[in-house]
Amino acid sequence: MKKERILSGIRATSKLHIGNYLGALKQFVEIQNNGEAQCYFFIADLHALTTPFEPKELRKHTLEVVAEYIAAGLDPKKSVIFLQNQVHEHSELAWVFECITPLGELERMTQFKDKAQQHKTNINAGLLCYPALMSADILLYKPNKVPVGDDQTQHIELSRIIARKFNKQFGQVFPEPKNYLLKPLRIMSLADPTKKMSKSDPKSCLFIDDEPNTIREKIKKAVTATDGTGKSAGAENLLGLLAHFGSHAHIEHFNDMQQMGTLKFSELKEALATDIAEHFAEFREKKKELLARPEYLAEVLGEGARKAREVARETLREVKEKIGLL
Ligand code: TYM
């Protein structure tokens, strides 16, 4: 039986935070390790150009994300790991998709509206066309499923719309990709738990390589204030993180305290910081070791791009044939 194909990517705009880890990277590693799928995981360096960036920082973050993929458990022998910009077919197919996607479909994307609001002086065409490039990233590999966090569900839906439109207009090329989780995850900001944790607001983020002291400081400052109904979105977020990273004893203890109404946020924060620091201890060491070996990372990426191109080239050939490009 043919193996399922799974594909996903993460932008190279900064190192990864705990939302990226739980919403994406952790699932990548689980899918890879269950051995039932062909896995393609890339770093979306071209998407990183859609918001303000510094070339030196972009290069640094790209290598950091590669090191983080591997330190978290992605294995270049089991998964194809590559940079989006090193497989030119992504940009070429994106152009084709931009030419068949109505402007209105791009303008209605929540992420475009949010980012346009955040970067009022830099609303570039790339920001608007972001989902067309993302659809190209996906559809080039004809994956069965795409593991992403909740905030990307609308973009995956648009890639299905684009696939359908292309197939109807020019003939069947693309299967429609599915979300990986039935209920994708959303980890909230530590500073404002009504917003998602986001790389564009580093204060709100717990980075997965943060040192134990930094983790403790950030969690200590996390907002846990109750709203008018006596609920605390911040406490829910922290308990959610405890469910993922906490020791069994801590999870039971704090859930009981919450049910009895005796939850002490200071104790919860201390326990959570200890558990998260412990969870990523090995990861932090591995990441440092990998960053000290840039030639190894370059080798992984070279090999990954070569393997990715084998698939991407074939899909682009089909597309060109269907649309009449010689
Ligand atoms: P990026 O870098 O913004 O996010 C990478 C992944 O992390 C997830 N994520 C979260 N999950 C839970 N809670 C959060 N607070 C949180 N913040 C981020 C995102 O949903 C995503 O899965 N556009 C993609 C990158 C991309 C891509 C693709 C993904 C480009 N092309 C093709 C899949 C397929 C993105 O959001 O990156």
Side-chain angles (χ1 to χ4, degrees):
M1 211 178 74
K2 214 173 144 216
K3 275 189 169 185
E4 275 203 322
R5 188 175 287 158
I6 305 284
L7 167 125
S8 193
I10 300 185
R11 274 179 312 152
T13 40
S14 98
K15 51 192 187 165
L16 304 184
H17 59 63
I18 246 153
N20 301 134
Y21 178 73
L22 291 174
L25 184 53
K26 180 168 180 266
Q27 300 175 54
F28 300 175
V29 176
E30 283 167 8
I31 298 166
Q32 168 198 270
N33 289 346
N34 83 19
E36 284 164 16
Q38 292 179 318
C39 296
Y40 290 78
F41 299 118
F42 67 96
I43 288 105
D45 48 4
L46 295 175
H47 276 115
L49 309 183
T50 60
T51 44
F53 68 96
E54 286 287 333
K56 245 168 101 182
E57 290 292 297
L58 175 60
R59 207 166 285 134
K60 176 169 170 269
H61 290 146
T62 303
L63 281 179
E64 280 200 88
V65 179
V66 185
E68 293 190 329
Y69 272 16
I70 301 173
L74 288 187
D75 177 351
K77 293 202 184 75
K78 297 184 186 157
S79 294
V80 179
I81 299 172
F82 64 101
L83 300 185
Q84 184 186 34
N85 102 81
Q86 292 184 347
V87 182
H88 306 151
E89 286 79 359
H90 289 239
S91 319
E92 242 181 297
L93 184 59
W95 176 254
V96 174
F97 286 168
E98 279 155 35
C99 296
I100 65 164
T101 309
L103 199 51
E105 289 286 1
L106 298 170
E107 282 170 338
R108 75 178 173 82
M109 292 290 111
T110 313
Q111 180 173 299
F112 171 66
K113 290 188 209 155
D114 288 351
K115 294 260 189 269
Q117 187 67 25
Q118 259 173 42
H119 303 284
K120 284 200 179 94
T121 54
N122 186 10
I123 308 178
N124 58 67
L127 195 59
L128 179 70
C129 296
Y130 183 116
L133 175 58
M134 181 160 164
S135 299
D137 298 337
I138 297 171
L139 295 173
L140 269 179
Y141 299 87
K142 304 184 181 176
N144 305 79
K145 290 183 189 135
V146 184
V148 286
D150 183 45
D151 60 324
Q152 294 301 308
T153 310
Q154 196 185 34
H155 287 161
I156 307 286
E157 173 57 27
L158 183 62
S159 77
R160 284 194 280 273
I161 294 174
I162 292 179
R164 222 172 292 147
K165 188 154 196 263
F166 184 98
N167 292 340
K168 190 157 172 246
Q169 205 167 332
F170 302 106
Q172 180 68 33
V173 173
F174 301 113
E176 290 183 27
K178 296 193 181 68
N179 289 2
Y180 177 69
L181 290 180
L182 289 176
K183 200 168 171 288
L185 268 173
R186 179 176 294 238
I187 304 300
M188 307 312 276
S189 151
L190 296 179
D192 177 356
T194 61
K195 295 197 180 121
K196 70 164 185 167
M197 187 178 281
S198 162
K199 295 173 202 165
S200 54
D201 178 15
K203 284 194 309 300
S204 79
C205 286
L206 266 185
F207 292 105
I208 57 179
D209 75 341
D210 275 343
E211 293 294 337
N213 280 343
T214 312
I215 298 175
R216 193 155 286 114
E217 281 309 305
K218 286 186 181 173
I219 293 188
K220 212 169 162 183
K221 288 197 196 123
V223 170
T224 46
T226 46
D227 65 13
T229 66
K231 287 208 176 110
S232 165
E236 289 304 321
N237 196 34
L238 296 184
L239 284 166
L241 290 177
L242 190 76
H244 286 287
F245 299 112
S247 65
H248 192 65
H250 281 158
I251 295 173
E252 234 172 49
H253 175 71
F254 288 105
N255 281 338
D256 286 352
M257 296 211 2
Q258 192 200 28
Q259 272 173 18
M260 293 184 301
T262 53
L263 183 65
K264 288 205 182 77
F265 292 135
S266 55
E267 283 179 19
L268 168 64
K269 287 176 169 181
E270 189 56 39
L272 180 61
T274 306
D275 289 342
I276 291 182
E278 172 62 27
H279 185 92
F280 289 105
E282 203 183 317
F283 168 88
R284 288 192 295 274
E285 287 316 304
K286 277 201 192 146
K287 180 180 169 186
K288 281 182 205 146
E289 284 166 27
L290 285 160
L291 284 176
R293 296 171 61 204
E295 65 301 332
Y296 168 69
L297 298 180
E299 202 180 294
V300 167
L301 294 174
E303 184 58 14
R306 194 188 59 72
K307 289 188 189 150
R309 219 175 289 127
E310 282 171 18
V311 180
R313 195 188 293 133
E314 181 50 27
T315 308
L316 193 66
R317 192 195 57 71
E318 278 181 75
V319 166
K320 286 187 174 179
E321 197 180 295
K322 292 276 191 217
I323 63 179
L325 289 176
L326 292 180

